[in-house]
Amino acid sequence: MNLLDWRGKKVAVVGMGLSNVPLARYLVSKGARITAFDKKTARDLGGIFDEMTRLGVEFSTGPGYLDRLSGFEHVFLTPGMKKDLPEITAARDAGAEISSETRLFFQLCKATTAGVTGSAGKTTTTTLLGKMLKKHGRRPVFVGGNIGNPLIEEVERIPPEAVVVLELSSFQLQTLDRSPDVAVITNVSPNHLDVHASMEEYVESKKSIFRFQGETGAAVLNADNAVTAAMAAECPGHTLLFSRVGPGRGGAFVREDIVMTPVFGWSDAPSPGEGQALRAVPAVEPRFEPVLPVNEIRIPGLHNVENVLAAATASSWLGARPGDIAGVARAFPGVEHRLELVRIRDGVHYYNDSIATAPDRTIAALHTIEGPLVLILGGYDKHLPFEALANEVVERARLVFTLGDTAPRIEEAIARAAEQAGHGPEVIRCGSLGEVVRKAVENARPGDSVLLSPACASYDMFRNFEERGRIFKALVAKI
């Protein structure tokens, strides 16, 4: 089928969220006959339902919304949906093509693509990479994907000479049959095990970011993470390993507290002409140049050093110069909800790290924030282990507030770790984030840091981690 010939095609769009609403608009503009499926009711969908109805989209909503998922030629799934639900399996068995907005984008995009995935650091690394390439200024740069900016409606306006930088979740990667030209994996640790059948499935989904590359592709991997380092043997193209603790292999690294970045053969070459994509391969044995001292990276934390190394490696492969990389690393203040200093009041620092939806992220925060900690933990249960986190909490936190579905599991893990260590923090369970903030204010001392770093997703009490973080910031602003 001609990829652009959607006229009259019967298409199901399952889940009317951030990426599927623009997808539906795009497909309608191409003449497809769309039925939208969503477990929310028409009333709950509100403006989305009204907009799509005006466009001629039919709906199947509410309980049993997937019962009508039959007879479609194409089924586009929202990223976080389980791919093995009986209704989806039946549609696949009946001949429907199971796809996604991300898969269609890769099928249509004519530009050079760079994808960023990982259990932590995706958004920061994606943003850094985009800024480094924009600072280089030789080629148009588009940034989108899971970062909150689906690009499907822009795909036909993106010129071949551009670079598209996409944040890609494990869910988005599951449906791909093409990989980006440059694939970045920041790290891999247990995550999303409430949706993925196993850790093995989760890891395999991450590999799709490089699995379909040819010999000219490049995979940028974390040499300091055992899972990603092992992936190097499976990459069909070039592998560039970055490292915070020693020389990697072709990627950026830290030497005597100085970030060293690779410089490839085409760094100073002219950019492609109008209408031309960059498809050649640079010299794969780079020279390395000092970029900046680690302590001049503006965003705090050793995990963010790794994010800078990942972005530096990928941007250098795509033509950025050391000066471009250094300028961004010195100036970039970070992304909202990521160790964001909200307020200093009465000598107490309040931090919003709502992005910490898994224990590894919270552990990274505990290693970054200095001094006594008042820690806020808990939320939606993704079936992740809390033992390693509990060991760190026992050593770093003075006081812990728990809330949400995972509060009992977290409390049990901390109690076991405290018994083994012979000491531990006071733990107080709360019923709401408002109660947490009130009690934190009552109990915090000058020199403390109150840290919202839940180690869990937000869906038990909030729409997403952004809403959780913004409510926390609003509560702190009122104290």
Side-chain angles (χ1 to χ4, degrees), residues 22 173 177 243 326 420 473 479:
L173 290 166
D177 54 6
S243 175
Q420 186 172 3
K473 293 198 293 183
I479 61 178

Side-chain angles (χ1 to χ4, degrees), residues 307-331:
N307 295 336
V308 168
L309 295 174
T313 303
S315 64
S316 182
W317 180 268
L318 290 166
R321 298 160 298 193
D324 306 322
I325 294 166
V328 171
R330 286 191 176 100

Side-chain angles (χ1 to χ4, degrees), residues 341-350 374 398 437-438 440-450 476 478-479:
L341 179 60
V342 177
R343 186 179 183 185
I344 304 174
R345 181 181 183 272
D346 297 334
V348 178
H349 291 65
Y350 293 83
V374 176
R398 182 179 69 78
V437 172
R438 288 194 301 273
V441 171
E442 294 170 1
N443 288 275
R445 307 165 182 166
D448 281 354
S449 291
V450 175
V476 170
K478 292 177 181 179
I479 61 178

